[in-house]
């Protein structure tokens, strides 16, 4: 009986061998998951160290959960996959970068969104920030001015299962009026002023997070809050360095 079972099992293994590549991939995924958990620890330490400036000692658990879940290694070029869980920005081509994970977590936290909220992102880039927001349960509308980057981001987001992200190629300075108004707006490229169309597409009670400053000067991450009566207040959070918001169509 044991012998029969033995032969049966070997026959099955022989008939349906698990390919080496699948084994290697499972091992990689395990390593990436561990690296992601370590990255989230590093982000938590950065948050605590900057707690005074950012007005929080720790991140919203929903942000932490999303950062632990989204596979950043899928959003960077394959040759950078082994650096995907370093807490640094990385090049994604066309002179653009995927933002530093700490900054992605911080911007997601500052926007103070709730599941189901509509959020506009200006500067899709790799699609990673959009995926983090989608993972948190937001309805994400994201605009990118460089068409090939939008194409790659669309493919990655679909492959990773983030179907609730809508993308559009265009100049995000003008926002996406037909889809507004938004509960939150996250701008991931620096402008020398806050684009008025974005302010008008922000709902009362909504928040916008945007780096403000010239490309060669220190930029400030600014939190804009619109109160229930539509009055605006702004607060400078931290010095940051983002690629510029360009104005080509
Ligand atoms: N959020 C991205 C980081 C993107 S870097 C990520 O998670 O990977 C900033 C992006 O903004 C770049 O891809 C750049 O092409 C884009 N961008 C610059 N100016 C823009 C504009 N006016 N409208 C839309 N996107 C713009």
């Amino acid at each position: 009986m044991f012998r029969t079972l033995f032969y049966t099992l070997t026959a099955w293994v022989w008939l349906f061998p698990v390919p080496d590549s699948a084994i290697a991939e499972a091992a990689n995924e395990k390593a990436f998951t561990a690296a992601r958990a370590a990255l989230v620890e590093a982000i938590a330490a950065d948050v605590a160290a900057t707690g005074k400036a950012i007005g929080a000692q720790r991140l919203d658990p929903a942000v932490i959960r999303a950062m632990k879940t989204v596979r950043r290694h899928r959003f960077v070029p394959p040759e950078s996959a082994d650096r995907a869980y370093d807490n640094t920005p990385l090049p994604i081509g066309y002179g653009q970068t995927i933002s530093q994970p700490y900054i992605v977590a911080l911007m997601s936290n500052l926007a103070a969104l709730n599941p189901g909220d509509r959020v506009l992102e200006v500067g899709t880039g790799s699609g990673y920030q959009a995926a983090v927001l989608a993972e948190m349960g937001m309805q994400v509308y994201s605009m990118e001015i460089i068409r090939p980057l939008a194409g790659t981001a669309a493919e990655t987001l679909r492959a990773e299962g983030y179907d609730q992200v809508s993308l559009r190629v265009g100049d995000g300075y003008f926002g996406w009026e037909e889809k507004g108004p938004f509960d939150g707006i996250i701008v991931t490229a620096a402008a020398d002023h806050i684009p008025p169309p974005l302010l008008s597409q922000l709902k009362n009670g909504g928040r916008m997070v945007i780096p403000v400053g010239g490309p060669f000067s220190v930029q400030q991450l600014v939190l804009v809050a619109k109160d229930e009566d539509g009055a605006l207040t702004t607060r400078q959070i931290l010095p940051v360095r983002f690629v510029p918001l360009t104005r080509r169509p």
Side-chain angles (χ1 to χ4, degrees), residues 214-234:
F216 305 110
S217 59
V218 176
Q219 304 153 4
Q220 282 289 332
L221 191 62
V222 174
L223 175 63
V224 183
K226 201 186 237 191
D227 73 14
E228 293 302 338
D229 301 320
L232 297 168
T233 48
T234 61

Side-chain angles (χ1 to χ4, degrees), residues 102-124:
Y102 160 71
I103 293 290
V104 172
L106 175 60
M107 292 177 94
S108 307
N109 208 71
L110 288 169
L113 297 157
N114 295 303
D117 279 358
R118 300 166 75 79
V119 46
L120 174 69
E121 180 194 22
V122 174
T124 313

